[in-house]
Amino acid sequence: MKESTILTSDDRELIGALQVGPRTPWTDIGEALGISGITAARRWERIKASGVAWVTAAPGMSRRAEQCVAYVEVDCLPGKRIEVAAELSRHELVVTVEITTGTADIMLTIAAANLQMLSHYLLDHLGAMESVLRSRARIATQIYTEGSRWRLIDLPEDMLRVLERSRPKPEPDQGGESVTMTPDVQRLAGLLTIDGRASYAELAAATDLSPTTVRRHVSGLLRSGMLLPRTDVAAELSGSPVQVYLWADAPVEGLPATARTISQIRQVRLCATVSSAPSMLMCAWLQTVEEVHRLELAIASRLPQVRIIDRLVVLRTVKRMGRLLDTSGRAVGVVPINIWEDGLEHPEDAGRR
C-alpha cells in the first residue's frame, strides 16, 4: 500500500465511513459497507499502518468558548522554514504546522484551554524563537466547519443511516455544566488524540479507571464538543492534493450567514471567523493549483460581498492535528495534544535555576 499513489474504491469507502462515524463499532461499519466487521477492521489496520489515514480526536471550541483556537502566520529567517516547522511541531499546543508559499513562511493552528495560555505561548515561546522574524495571530470567534466534517466521498443514504446510529449527538446549547478537565479527564483526552478509536476497555487499562468511569468521561468530552473525533487522510492521496488558505473580508452584519454558505462548498475544509482583519479564514483542498481561482470565482458568483484579501498555498504539511507527517503526507508519528496544561518551560522559571 505504501508504494501506491491512489486509494482503491474500497479504501475510500471505508475511510468515508469512518469520517461519518470515527468511533462507530466495526459491526456497524461492516453492515454499512456490506462486509463483516472483522474484514472492515482488518482493512483499516492495513490502511492505518501505511500512514494513509488515521482516527484522532481534536480539541474543539466548546459552546461557552472556553477553548481558544488561533491561526498564526509565521515569517522565518531565510533558509530556516523546515527547521522552525520541525521545532514547532513538537509543541503540544501547536496542533497543525504547514509550510506555505505566499505572504507567510509557515501557517500554524494553535489551540489552548483559555486566552491566558494562548497569550503566554504566543508571547513567551513563539515570540522568543530566534529564527522567527515575526508572527501574526488571529483568534477564531467561531468555527463553522472544520476537518471532522470534511468528507472524502459522499456515501449513499442507506449507509449513512447505519453509521449515524451510534454517532454521539452534541448537547443542546443550553443548561448543564461544562466538562471539568481533571487530571483523569486530561489523560483520557490525550489518549484519544493518539487513537480516536481506542475502546473504553483500552482506555480504562491505560488509566487505571473503571470502564464505566471512562465511558462517562469520554461521552462528556464528545457530547460537549471539547473533543471532536475525526478521520484524517493524507491529502496527497485524497485526490485533492492542493491545500490553500484564503483570507477574506465580508460585511460584519452578514458574516455568520456568509460563513455558513461558504461552509457548504464541498472543497472547503475549514471556515472560521476571526477577531481581526481580515474577518474570515477558509481552507480548501483542491485537485489542481488552477482550481484556486475557480474557487474564488465560485465564491464571488454566490457571495459578491466577499472580498478575498490573501491566499497561502501549502507546500508541505509537517503536522496535522497532532499527527507528524512525512513528505508524502503519511502519518509517521504523533505528538499527543494537550491544550489544558502548559508543558513548556516559562522563561522566568529558567531564570530562577
Side-chain angles (χ1 to χ4, degrees), residues 175-196:
E177 294 184 0
S178 301
V179 175
T180 301
M181 295 304 293
T182 64
D184 284 341
V185 177
Q186 286 185 27
R187 287 170 65 198
L188 288 170
L191 291 169
L192 287 169
T193 68
I194 298 172
D195 180 6

Side-chain angles (χ1 to χ4, degrees), residues 106-137:
I106 297 173
M107 181 73 169
L108 306 177
T109 302
I110 300 176
N114 50 53
L115 183 59
Q116 181 181 9
M117 188 180 293
L118 176 65
S119 300
H120 165 64
Y121 179 81
L122 293 174
L123 296 174
D124 297 326
H125 293 292
L126 182 61
M129 290 179 64
E130 291 184 358
S131 296
V132 172
L133 292 175
R134 63 189 66 85
S135 63
R136 298 171 293 282

